Coordinates of all heavy atoms in Angstrom, one line a residue:
M1 N 0.9 -1.2 0.0 CA 0.0 0.0 0.0 C 0.9 1.3 0.0 O 1.8 1.4 0.8 CB -0.9 0.0 1.2 CG -2.1 0.9 1.1 SD -3.3 0.4 -0.2 CE -4.6 -0.3 0.8
K2 N 0.6 2.2 -0.9 CA 1.3 3.5 -1.0 C 0.4 4.7 -0.7 O -0.8 4.6 -0.9 CB 1.9 3.6 -2.4 CG 3.0 2.6 -2.6 CD 3.7 2.9 -3.9 CE 5.1 2.4 -4.0 NZ 6.0 3.1 -4.9
H3 N 1.0 5.8 -0.4 CA 0.3 7.0 -0.3 C 0.6 7.9 -1.4 O 1.8 8.2 -1.7 CB 0.7 7.7 1.0 CG -0.1 7.3 2.2 ND1 0.4 6.4 3.1 CD2 -1.4 7.5 2.6 CE1 -0.5 6.1 4.0 NE2 -1.6 6.8 3.8
C4 N -0.4 8.5 -2.1 CA -0.2 9.4 -3.2 C 0.4 10.7 -2.6 O 0.0 11.2 -1.6 CB -1.6 9.7 -3.8 SG -1.5 11.0 -5.1
Q5 N 1.5 11.1 -3.3 CA 2.2 12.3 -2.9 C 1.4 13.6 -3.1 O 1.8 14.6 -2.6 CB 3.6 12.4 -3.7 CG 4.5 11.3 -3.4 CD 5.1 11.4 -2.0 OE1 5.8 12.4 -1.6 NE2 4.9 10.4 -1.1
W6 N 0.4 13.5 -3.9 CA -0.4 14.7 -4.2 C -1.7 14.8 -3.4 O -1.9 15.7 -2.7 CB -0.7 14.7 -5.7 CG -1.5 15.9 -6.1 CD1 -2.8 16.0 -6.4 CD2 -1.1 17.3 -6.1 NE1 -3.2 17.3 -6.6 CE2 -2.1 18.1 -6.5 CE3 0.2 17.9 -5.8 CZ2 -2.0 19.5 -6.6 CZ3 0.3 19.2 -6.0 CH2 -0.8 20.0 -6.3
C7 N -2.5 13.7 -3.4 CA -3.8 13.7 -2.7 C -3.9 12.9 -1.5 O -4.9 12.9 -0.7 CB -5.0 13.3 -3.7 SG -4.9 11.6 -4.1
D8 N -2.8 12.2 -1.2 CA -2.6 11.4 0.1 C -3.5 10.2 0.1 O -3.7 9.6 1.1 CB -2.9 12.3 1.3 CG -2.0 11.8 2.5 OD1 -1.0 11.3 2.3 OD2 -2.5 12.0 3.6
A9 N -4.1 9.9 -1.0 CA -5.0 8.7 -1.1 C -4.1 7.4 -1.1 O -3.0 7.5 -1.5 CB -5.8 8.7 -2.3
Q10 N -4.6 6.3 -0.5 CA -3.9 5.1 -0.5 C -4.1 4.4 -1.9 O -5.2 4.4 -2.4 CB -4.3 4.2 0.6 CG -3.9 4.7 2.0 CD -4.1 3.7 3.1 OE1 -5.0 2.9 3.0 NE2 -3.2 3.7 4.0
F11 N -3.1 3.8 -2.4 CA -3.2 3.1 -3.6 C -2.2 1.9 -3.7 O -1.2 1.9 -3.0 CB -3.1 4.0 -4.9 CG -1.7 4.6 -5.0 CD1 -0.8 4.0 -6.0 CD2 -1.3 5.7 -4.3 CE1 0.5 4.5 -6.1 CE2 0.0 6.2 -4.5 CZ 0.9 5.6 -5.4
T12 N -2.5 1.0 -4.6 CA -1.6 -0.1 -4.8 C -1.0 0.0 -6.2 O -1.7 0.4 -7.1 CB -2.2 -1.5 -4.5 OG1 -3.4 -1.5 -5.3 CG2 -2.5 -1.7 -3.1
T13 N 0.2 -0.4 -6.3 CA 0.8 -0.4 -7.7 C 1.9 -1.5 -7.7 O 2.5 -1.8 -6.7 CB 1.4 1.0 -8.0 OG1 2.0 0.9 -9.3 CG2 2.4 1.4 -7.0
K14 N 2.2 -1.9 -8.9 CA 3.3 -2.9 -9.1 C 4.5 -2.1 -9.5 O 5.6 -2.7 -9.4 CB 2.9 -3.8 -10.3 CG 1.8 -4.8 -10.0 CD 1.7 -5.9 -11.1 CE 0.7 -7.0 -10.7 NZ -0.7 -6.5 -10.7
I15 N 4.4 -0.8 -9.8 CA 5.6 0.0 -10.1 C 6.1 0.6 -8.9 O 5.5 1.4 -8.2 CB 5.2 1.1 -11.1 CG1 4.4 0.5 -12.4 CG2 6.4 1.8 -11.6 CD1 3.6 1.5 -13.1
S16 N 7.3 0.2 -8.5 CA 7.9 0.6 -7.2 C 8.1 2.1 -7.1 O 8.0 2.7 -6.0 CB 9.2 -0.1 -7.0 OG 10.1 0.2 -8.0
Y17 N 8.4 2.8 -8.2 CA 8.7 4.2 -8.1 C 7.5 5.1 -8.3 O 7.6 6.3 -8.3 CB 9.8 4.6 -9.2 CG 9.5 4.2 -10.6 CD1 8.7 5.0 -11.4 CD2 10.1 3.1 -11.2 CE1 8.4 4.7 -12.7 CE2 9.8 2.7 -12.5 CZ 9.0 3.5 -13.2 OH 8.7 3.2 -14.5
Q18 N 6.3 4.5 -8.5 CA 5.1 5.3 -8.7 C 4.8 6.0 -7.3 O 4.6 5.3 -6.3 CB 3.9 4.4 -9.1 CG 2.7 5.3 -9.5 CD 1.6 4.4 -10.0 OE1 1.8 3.3 -10.6 NE2 0.4 4.9 -9.9
I19 N 4.6 7.3 -7.4 CA 4.3 8.1 -6.1 C 3.0 8.8 -6.2 O 2.6 9.3 -5.2 CB 5.5 9.1 -5.8 CG1 5.7 10.0 -7.0 CG2 6.8 8.4 -5.4 CD1 6.6 11.2 -6.6
Y20 N 2.3 8.7 -7.3 CA 1.0 9.3 -7.4 C 0.0 8.2 -7.8 O 0.3 7.3 -8.5 CB 0.9 10.4 -8.5 CG 2.0 11.5 -8.3 CD1 3.0 11.7 -9.1 CD2 1.9 12.3 -7.1 CE1 4.0 12.6 -8.9 CE2 2.8 13.3 -6.9 CZ 3.9 13.4 -7.8 OH 4.8 14.4 -7.5
C21 N -1.3 8.4 -7.3 CA -2.3 7.3 -7.4 C -2.8 7.3 -8.9 O -3.3 6.3 -9.3 CB -3.4 7.5 -6.4 SG -4.4 9.0 -6.7
S22 N -2.8 8.5 -9.5 CA -3.4 8.5 -10.9 C -2.6 9.5 -11.7 O -1.8 10.3 -11.2 CB -4.8 9.0 -10.8 OG -4.9 10.3 -10.2
S23 N -2.8 9.5 -13.0 CA -2.2 10.5 -13.9 C -2.7 11.9 -13.6 O -1.9 12.8 -13.8 CB -2.4 10.1 -15.4 OG -3.8 10.1 -15.7
E24 N -3.9 12.0 -13.1 CA -4.4 13.3 -12.8 C -3.6 14.0 -11.7 O -3.2 15.1 -11.7 CB -5.9 13.3 -12.3 CG -6.9 13.1 -13.4 CD -7.0 11.7 -13.9 OE1 -6.6 10.8 -13.2 OE2 -7.6 11.5 -15.0
C25 N -3.3 13.1 -10.7 CA -2.5 13.6 -9.5 C -1.1 13.9 -10.0 O -0.5 14.9 -9.6 CB -2.4 12.6 -8.4 SG -3.9 12.6 -7.4
R26 N -0.5 13.1 -10.9 CA 0.8 13.3 -11.4 C 0.9 14.6 -12.1 O 1.8 15.4 -12.0 CB 1.3 12.2 -12.3 CG 2.8 12.1 -12.5 CD 3.1 11.1 -13.5 NE 2.5 11.4 -14.8 CZ 2.0 10.4 -15.6 NH1 2.0 9.2 -15.2 NH2 1.4 10.7 -16.7
E27 N -0.1 14.9 -13.0 CA -0.1 16.1 -13.8 C -0.3 17.4 -12.9 O 0.3 18.4 -13.1 CB -1.3 16.1 -14.8 CG -0.8 15.3 -16.1 CD -2.0 14.9 -16.9 OE1 -3.0 15.5 -16.9 OE2 -1.8 13.8 -17.6
A28 N -1.2 17.2 -11.9 CA -1.4 18.4 -10.9 C -0.1 18.7 -10.2 O 0.2 19.9 -10.0 CB -2.5 18.0 -10.0
A29 N 0.6 17.7 -9.8 CA 1.9 17.9 -9.1 C 2.9 18.5 -10.0 O 3.7 19.4 -9.5 CB 2.4 16.5 -8.5
T30 N 2.9 18.1 -11.2 CA 3.9 18.6 -12.2 C 3.6 20.1 -12.4 O 4.5 20.9 -12.4 CB 3.8 17.9 -13.5 OG1 4.0 16.5 -13.2 CG2 4.9 18.3 -14.5
R31 N 2.3 20.4 -12.6 CA 1.9 21.8 -12.8 C 2.3 22.7 -11.6 O 2.8 23.8 -11.7 CB 0.3 21.9 -12.9 CG -0.1 21.9 -14.4 CD -1.5 22.5 -14.5 NE -2.5 21.7 -13.7 CZ -3.1 20.6 -14.2 NH1 -2.9 20.2 -15.4 NH2 -3.9 20.0 -13.4
E32 N 2.1 22.1 -10.4 CA 2.5 22.8 -9.1 C 4.0 23.1 -9.1 O 4.5 24.2 -8.8 CB 2.1 22.0 -7.9 CG 2.5 22.6 -6.6 CD 1.4 23.5 -6.0 OE1 0.6 24.0 -6.8 OE2 1.4 23.6 -4.8
K33 N 4.8 22.1 -9.6 CA 6.3 22.3 -9.6 C 6.7 23.4 -10.6 O 7.6 24.2 -10.3 CB 6.9 20.9 -10.0 CG 7.4 20.1 -8.8 CD 8.0 18.8 -9.2 CE 7.9 17.8 -8.1 NZ 8.0 16.4 -8.7
I34 N 6.0 23.4 -11.7 CA 6.4 24.4 -12.7 C 6.0 25.8 -12.2 O 6.8 26.7 -12.3 CB 5.6 24.1 -14.0 CG1 6.2 22.8 -14.7 CG2 5.7 25.3 -15.0 CD1 5.3 22.3 -15.8
A35 N 4.9 25.9 -11.5 CA 4.4 27.2 -10.9 C 5.4 27.6 -9.9 O 5.7 28.8 -9.8 CB 3.0 27.0 -10.4
E36 N 5.9 26.7 -9.1 CA 6.9 27.0 -8.0 C 8.2 27.5 -8.6 O 8.7 28.5 -8.2 CB 7.1 25.7 -7.3 CG 7.6 25.9 -5.9 CD 7.7 24.6 -5.1 OE1 6.7 24.0 -4.8 OE2 8.9 24.1 -5.0
R37 N 8.6 26.8 -9.7 CA 9.9 27.2 -10.3 C 9.7 28.7 -10.9 O 10.6 29.5 -10.9 CB 10.2 26.3 -11.5 CG 11.4 25.4 -11.2 CD 12.0 24.9 -12.4 NE 11.1 24.1 -13.2 CZ 11.0 22.8 -13.2 NH1 11.7 22.1 -12.5 NH2 10.1 22.2 -14.0
Y38 N 8.5 28.9 -11.5 CA 8.3 30.2 -12.1 C 8.3 31.3 -11.0 O 8.8 32.4 -11.2 CB 6.9 30.2 -12.8 CG 6.5 31.5 -13.4 CD1 7.2 31.9 -14.6 CD2 5.5 32.3 -12.9 CE1 6.8 33.1 -15.2 CE2 5.1 33.5 -13.5 CZ 5.8 33.9 -14.6 OH 5.4 35.1 -15.2
A39 N 7.7 31.0 -9.8 CA 7.7 31.9 -8.7 C 9.1 32.2 -8.2 O 9.4 33.4 -7.9 CB 6.8 31.4 -7.6
I40 N 9.9 31.2 -8.2 CA 11.3 31.4 -7.7 C 12.1 32.3 -8.7 O 12.8 33.2 -8.4 CB 12.0 30.0 -7.5 CG1 11.5 29.3 -6.3 CG2 13.5 30.2 -7.4 CD1 11.8 27.9 -6.2
A41 N 11.9 32.0 -10.0 CA 12.5 32.8 -11.1 C 12.1 34.3 -11.0 O 12.9 35.2 -11.1 CB 12.2 32.2 -12.4
R42 N 10.8 34.5 -10.7 CA 10.3 35.8 -10.6 C 10.9 36.6 -9.4 O 11.2 37.7 -9.5 CB 8.8 35.8 -10.5 CG 8.1 37.0 -11.1 CD 6.6 36.8 -11.3 NE 6.0 36.1 -10.1 CZ 4.7 35.8 -10.0 NH1 3.9 36.2 -10.9 NH2 4.3 35.2 -8.9
R43 N 11.0 35.8 -8.3 CA 11.6 36.4 -7.1 C 13.1 36.8 -7.3 O 13.5 37.8 -6.9 CB 11.4 35.4 -5.9 CG 11.9 36.0 -4.6 CD 11.4 35.1 -3.5 NE 11.9 33.7 -3.6 CZ 11.4 32.6 -3.1 NH1 10.3 32.8 -2.3 NH2 11.9 31.5 -3.3
N44 N 13.8 35.9 -8.0 CA 15.2 36.1 -8.2 C 15.4 37.4 -9.1 O 16.3 38.2 -8.9 CB 15.8 34.9 -8.9 CG 16.1 33.8 -8.0 OD1 16.0 34.0 -6.8 ND2 16.3 32.6 -8.5
R45 N 14.5 37.6 -10.1 CA 14.6 38.7 -10.9 C 14.3 40.0 -10.1 O 14.9 41.0 -10.3 CB 13.5 38.6 -12.1 CG 14.1 39.1 -13.4 CD 13.1 38.8 -14.5 NE 12.6 37.4 -14.5 CZ 11.5 37.0 -14.9 NH1 10.6 37.9 -15.4 NH2 11.1 35.8 -14.9
R46 N 13.3 39.9 -9.2 CA 13.0 41.1 -8.4 C 14.1 41.5 -7.5 O 14.4 42.6 -7.2 CB 11.7 40.8 -7.5 CG 11.0 42.0 -7.2 CD 9.8 41.7 -6.3 NE 9.2 40.4 -6.4 CZ 8.7 39.7 -5.4 NH1 8.7 40.2 -4.2 NH2 8.2 38.5 -5.6
H47 N 14.9 40.5 -7.0 CA 16.0 40.7 -6.1 C 17.3 40.7 -6.9 O 18.3 40.3 -6.4 CB 16.1 39.7 -5.0 CG 15.0 39.8 -4.0 ND1 15.1 40.6 -2.9 CD2 13.7 39.3 -4.0 CE1 14.0 40.6 -2.2 NE2 13.1 39.8 -2.8
G48 N 17.2 41.0 -8.2 CA 18.4 41.0 -9.1 C 19.5 41.9 -8.6 O 20.7 41.6 -8.9
K49 N 19.2 43.0 -7.9 CA 20.2 43.9 -7.4 C 21.1 43.2 -6.4 O 20.6 42.6 -5.5 CB 19.4 45.1 -6.8 CG 20.3 46.4 -6.8 CD 19.4 47.6 -6.4 CE 19.1 47.5 -4.9 NZ 18.2 48.6 -4.5
V50 N 22.4 43.4 -6.6 CA 23.3 42.7 -5.6 C 23.5 43.6 -4.4 O 23.8 44.8 -4.5 CB 24.7 42.5 -6.3 CG1 25.7 41.9 -5.3 CG2 24.5 41.6 -7.5
R51 N 23.2 43.0 -3.2 CA 23.4 43.7 -2.0 C 24.6 43.1 -1.3 O 24.9 42.0 -1.3 CB 22.2 43.6 -1.1 CG 21.0 44.2 -1.7 CD 19.7 44.1 -0.9 NE 19.5 42.7 -0.5 CZ 19.4 42.3 0.8 NH1 19.5 43.2 1.8 NH2 19.2 41.1 1.1
K52 N 25.4 44.0 -0.6 CA 26.6 43.6 0.1 C 26.4 43.7 1.6 O 25.8 44.6 2.1 CB 27.8 44.5 -0.4 CG 28.1 44.4 -1.8 CD 29.0 43.2 -2.1 CE 29.3 43.0 -3.6 NZ 30.1 44.1 -4.2
C53 N 27.1 42.8 2.3 CA 27.1 42.8 3.7 C 27.8 44.0 4.3 O 28.9 44.4 3.8 CB 27.8 41.5 4.2 SG 28.2 41.5 6.0
K54 N 27.2 44.7 5.3 CA 27.8 45.9 5.8 C 29.0 45.6 6.6 O 29.8 46.5 6.9 CB 26.8 46.6 6.7 CG 25.6 47.2 5.9 CD 25.9 48.7 5.6 CE 24.7 49.4 5.0 NZ 24.4 49.0 3.6
G55 N 29.2 44.3 7.1 CA 30.3 43.9 7.9 C 31.5 43.5 7.1 O 32.6 44.1 7.2
C56 N 31.4 42.6 6.1 CA 32.5 42.0 5.4 C 32.5 42.2 3.9 O 33.4 41.9 3.2 CB 32.7 40.5 5.7 SG 31.3 39.5 5.0
G57 N 31.4 42.8 3.4 CA 31.3 43.1 2.0 C 30.9 41.9 1.1 O 30.9 42.0 -0.1
A58 N 30.6 40.7 1.8 CA 30.2 39.6 1.0 C 28.8 39.8 0.4 O 28.0 40.5 1.0 CB 30.2 38.3 1.9
G59 N 28.5 39.1 -0.7 CA 27.2 39.2 -1.3 C 26.1 38.6 -0.4 O 26.4 37.6 0.2
L60 N 25.0 39.3 -0.3 CA 23.9 38.8 0.6 C 22.9 38.0 -0.2 O 22.7 38.3 -1.4 CB 23.2 40.0 1.2 CG 23.9 40.8 2.3 CD1 23.1 41.9 2.8 CD2 24.3 39.9 3.5
S61 N 22.4 36.9 0.4 CA 21.4 36.1 -0.2 C 20.1 36.8 -0.4 O 19.8 37.8 0.4 CB 21.2 34.9 0.7 OG 19.9 34.3 0.5
V62 N 19.4 36.5 -1.4 CA 18.1 37.2 -1.7 C 17.1 36.9 -0.6 O 16.1 37.6 -0.4 CB 17.5 36.7 -3.0 CG1 18.3 37.2 -4.2 CG2 17.3 35.2 -3.1
Y63 N 17.4 35.8 0.2 CA 16.5 35.4 1.3 C 16.9 36.2 2.6 O 16.2 36.1 3.6 CB 16.6 33.9 1.6 CG 16.2 33.1 0.3 CD1 17.2 32.5 -0.4 CD2 14.9 33.0 -0.1 CE1 16.8 31.8 -1.6 CE2 14.5 32.3 -1.2 CZ 15.5 31.7 -2.0 OH 15.2 31.0 -3.1
N64 N 18.0 36.9 2.6 CA 18.5 37.6 3.7 C 18.1 39.0 3.6 O 18.5 39.8 2.8 CB 20.0 37.5 3.8 CG 20.6 38.0 5.1 OD1 19.9 38.6 5.9 ND2 21.8 37.8 5.3
D65 N 17.2 39.4 4.5 CA 16.7 40.8 4.5 C 17.5 41.7 5.4 O 17.3 42.9 5.5 CB 15.2 40.9 4.9 CG 14.3 40.3 3.8 OD1 14.7 40.4 2.7 OD2 13.3 39.6 4.2
E66 N 18.5 41.1 6.1 CA 19.3 41.9 7.0 C 20.4 42.6 6.2 O 20.6 42.3 5.0 CB 20.0 40.9 8.0 CG 19.1 40.0 8.8 CD 18.1 40.8 9.7 OE1 18.5 41.8 10.3 OE2 16.9 40.4 9.7
Q67 N 21.2 43.5 6.9 CA 22.3 44.2 6.2 C 23.6 43.5 6.5 O 24.6 43.9 5.9 CB 22.3 45.6 6.7 CG 21.1 46.4 6.4 CD 21.3 47.9 6.3 OE1 21.9 48.5 7.2 NE2 20.8 48.5 5.3
L68 N 23.6 42.4 7.3 CA 24.8 41.6 7.5 C 24.6 40.2 7.0 O 23.4 39.7 7.0 CB 25.0 41.6 9.0 CG 25.4 42.8 9.7 CD1 25.4 42.6 11.2 CD2 26.8 43.3 9.3
C69 N 25.7 39.6 6.6 CA 25.6 38.2 6.1 C 25.5 37.3 7.4 O 25.7 37.7 8.5 CB 26.8 37.8 5.3 SG 28.3 37.7 6.2
M70 N 25.2 36.0 7.1 CA 25.0 35.1 8.2 C 26.2 35.0 9.1 O 26.1 35.0 10.3 CB 24.7 33.7 7.7 CG 23.3 33.5 7.1 SD 22.0 33.8 8.4 CE 22.2 32.3 9.4
K71 N 27.4 35.1 8.5 CA 28.6 35.0 9.2 C 28.8 36.1 10.2 O 29.1 36.0 11.4 CB 29.8 34.9 8.2 CG 30.9 34.0 8.6 CD 31.9 33.9 7.5 CE 32.7 35.1 7.3 NZ 33.5 35.0 6.0
C72 N 28.5 37.3 9.7 CA 28.7 38.5 10.5 C 27.5 38.6 11.6 O 27.8 39.2 12.6 CB 28.6 39.8 9.6 SG 30.1 39.9 8.6
T73 N 26.4 38.1 11.3 CA 25.3 38.1 12.2 C 25.6 37.2 13.4 O 25.4 37.6 14.6 CB 24.0 37.6 11.6 OG1 23.8 38.4 10.4 CG2 22.8 37.8 12.5
V74 N 26.2 36.1 13.1 CA 26.6 35.1 14.2 C 27.9 35.6 14.9 O 27.9 35.5 16.1 CB 26.8 33.7 13.6 CG1 27.3 32.7 14.6 CG2 25.5 33.2 13.0
N75 N 28.8 36.1 14.2 CA 30.1 36.4 14.8 C 30.6 37.8 14.2 O 31.4 37.9 13.3 CB 31.2 35.3 14.4 CG 32.5 35.6 15.1 OD1 32.6 36.4 16.0 ND2 33.5 35.0 14.6
P76 N 30.0 38.9 14.8 CA 30.3 40.2 14.2 C 31.6 40.8 14.6 O 31.7 42.0 15.0 CB 29.1 41.0 14.7 CG 28.7 40.4 16.0 CD 29.2 38.9 16.0
N77 N 32.7 40.1 14.5 CA 34.0 40.5 14.9 C 34.5 41.7 14.1 O 35.0 42.7 14.6 CB 35.0 39.4 14.8 CG 35.0 38.5 16.0 OD1 34.5 38.9 17.0 ND2 35.5 37.3 15.8
E78 N 34.2 41.7 12.8 CA 34.6 42.7 11.9 C 34.0 44.0 12.2 O 34.6 45.1 12.3 CB 34.3 42.3 10.4 CG 35.2 41.3 9.8 CD 36.7 41.7 9.8 OE1 36.9 42.8 9.3 OE2 37.6 41.0 10.2
V79 N 32.7 43.9 12.6 CA 31.9 45.1 12.9 C 32.4 45.7 14.2 O 32.6 46.9 14.4 CB 30.4 44.8 13.0 CG1 29.6 46.0 13.4 CG2 29.9 44.2 11.7
T80 N 32.7 44.8 15.2 CA 33.2 45.3 16.5 C 34.5 45.9 16.4 O 34.8 47.0 16.9 CB 33.3 44.0 17.4 OG1 32.1 43.3 17.4 CG2 33.6 44.5 18.9
K81 N 35.4 45.3 15.5 CA 36.7 45.9 15.3 C 36.6 47.3 14.6 O 37.3 48.2 15.1 CB 37.5 44.9 14.4 CG 38.9 45.2 14.2 CD 39.6 44.1 13.3 CE 41.0 44.5 12.9 NZ 41.0 45.5 11.8
A82 N 35.7 47.4 13.7 CA 35.5 48.7 13.0 C 35.1 49.7 14.0 O 35.6 50.9 14.0 CB 34.5 48.5 11.9
L83 N 34.2 49.4 14.9 CA 33.7 50.3 15.9 C 34.8 50.7 16.8 O 34.9 51.9 17.2 CB 32.5 49.7 16.6 CG 31.2 49.6 15.8 CD1 30.2 48.8 16.7 CD2 30.6 50.9 15.5
K84 N 35.6 49.8 17.2 CA 36.8 50.0 18.1 C 37.7 51.0 17.4 O 38.3 51.9 18.1 CB 37.5 48.7 18.5 CG 37.0 48.1 19.8 CD 37.8 46.9 20.1 CE 37.2 46.1 21.2 NZ 37.6 44.7 21.2
D85 N 38.0 50.8 16.1 CA 38.9 51.7 15.4 C 38.4 53.1 15.4 O 39.2 54.0 15.6 CB 39.1 51.2 14.0 CG 39.9 49.9 13.9 OD1 40.6 49.6 14.9 OD2 39.9 49.3 12.8
I86 N 37.1 53.3 15.2 CA 36.5 54.6 15.2 C 36.6 55.2 16.6 O 37.0 56.4 16.7 CB 35.0 54.5 14.8 CG1 34.9 54.1 13.3 CG2 34.3 55.8 15.0 CD1 33.5 53.6 12.9
K87 N 36.4 54.4 17.6 CA 36.5 54.9 19.0 C 37.9 55.3 19.3 O 38.2 56.4 19.9 CB 36.1 53.8 19.9 CG 35.2 54.3 21.1 CD 34.7 53.0 21.9 CE 34.3 53.4 23.3 NZ 34.0 52.2 24.1
G88 N 38.9 54.5 18.9 CA 40.3 54.8 19.1 C 40.7 56.0 18.4 O 41.4 56.9 19.0
F89 N 40.2 56.2 17.2 CA 40.5 57.4 16.4 C 40.0 58.6 17.1 O 40.7 59.6 17.2 CB 39.9 57.2 15.0 CG 40.0 58.5 14.2 CD1 41.2 58.9 13.6 CD2 38.9 59.3 13.9 CE1 41.3 60.0 12.8 CE2 39.0 60.4 13.2 CZ 40.2 60.8 12.6
M90 N 38.8 58.5 17.6 CA 38.2 59.7 18.3 C 38.9 60.0 19.6 O 39.1 61.2 19.9 CB 36.7 59.4 18.6 CG 35.8 59.6 17.3 SD 34.2 58.9 17.4 CE 33.4 59.9 18.6
N91 N 39.3 58.9 20.3 CA 40.1 59.1 21.6 C 41.4 59.8 21.3 O 41.8 60.8 22.0 CB 40.3 57.8 22.3 CG 39.0 57.3 22.9 OD1 38.1 58.0 23.1 ND2 39.0 56.0 23.3
G92 N 42.1 59.3 20.2 CA 43.4 59.9 19.9 C 43.3 61.3 19.5 O 44.1 62.2 19.9
K93 N 42.2 61.7 18.8 CA 42.0 63.0 18.4 C 41.8 64.0 19.6 O 42.3 65.0 19.7 CB 40.8 63.1 17.5 CG 40.8 64.3 16.5 CD 39.5 64.3 15.7 CE 39.4 65.6 15.0 NZ 38.0 65.9 14.5
S94 N 41.0 63.4 20.6 CA 40.6 64.3 21.7 C 41.9 64.6 22.6 O 42.0 65.6 23.2 CB 39.5 63.6 22.6 OG 40.0 62.4 23.1
I95 N 42.8 63.6 22.5 CA 44.1 63.8 23.3 C 45.0 64.9 22.7 O 45.5 65.8 23.3 CB 44.9 62.4 23.4 CG1 44.1 61.5 24.4 CG2 46.3 62.7 24.0 CD1 44.5 60.0 24.2
T96 N 45.1 64.8 21.3 CA 45.9 65.8 20.7 C 45.3 67.2 20.7 O 46.1 68.2 20.5 CB 46.2 65.3 19.2 OG1 45.0 65.0 18.6 CG2 47.2 64.1 19.2
D97 N 44.0 67.3 20.8 CA 43.4 68.6 20.7 C 43.8 69.5 21.9 O 43.6 69.2 23.0 CB 41.9 68.4 20.7 CG 41.4 68.2 19.2 OD1 42.3 68.4 18.3 OD2 40.3 67.9 19.0
Ligands
LIG1 ZN1 -3.6 11.0 -5.8
LIG2 ZN1 29.5 39.7 6.4

């Protein structure tokens, strides 16, 4: 006994790789896959503009709405270092003034 990957109905088959109970279900599933691929292509086009991480300058994923890449979000050493440099620069300036 197998479960149809589309409508979840139980069915029996002699073909081991058959995952849909009927050709209707197979066609519906194929249509869904094509629509999904089309949606992804459309999303990629919308996010065609390349965005860079504010921390390390690496290209950001279209799925990442943050201004930092995953690496910098998890371990923002570069950002911390940059902030320290600015602080040190300002301290040095105040001493010489
Ligand atoms: Zn089915
Ligand atoms: Zn980064």
Side-chain angles (χ1 to χ4, degrees):
M1 201 65 106
K2 290 189 157 203
H3 275 100
C4 174
Q5 294 289 300
W6 181 252
C7 70
D8 210 31
Q10 289 193 328
F11 68 98
T12 50
T13 178
K14 289 188 176 71
I15 307 159
S16 61
Y17 55 81
Q18 190 178 332
I19 55 170
Y20 303 115
C21 67
S22 62
S23 59
E24 283 82 14
C25 281
R26 195 187 61 222
E27 276 163 29
T30 305
R31 266 199 301 273
E32 178 91 331
K33 262 180 207 159
I34 291 167
E36 204 175 286
R37 250 201 306 262
Y38 180 72
I40 289 167
R42 210 167 42 176
R43 187 166 55 201
N44 285 345
R45 220 174 309 151
R46 209 183 329 146
H47 289 271
K49 205 171 69 182
V50 177
R51 295 181 309 126
K52 296 276 174 70
C53 168
K54 288 268 189 286
C56 69
L60 290 177
S61 156
V62 292
Y63 303 104
N64 188 350
D65 292 325
E66 307 297 321
Q67 299 202 313
L68 292 171
C69 72
M70 283 302 285
K71 218 169 73 188
C72 291
T73 309
V74 174
N75 184 18
N77 278 341
E78 287 296 313
V79 180
T80 310
K81 189 175 167 287
L83 288 173
K84 266 184 193 159
D85 286 347
I86 292 164
K87 220 173 160 186
F89 172 74
M90 280 163 73
N91 285 344
K93 203 184 168 197
S94 66
I95 288 160
T96 50
D97 274 351

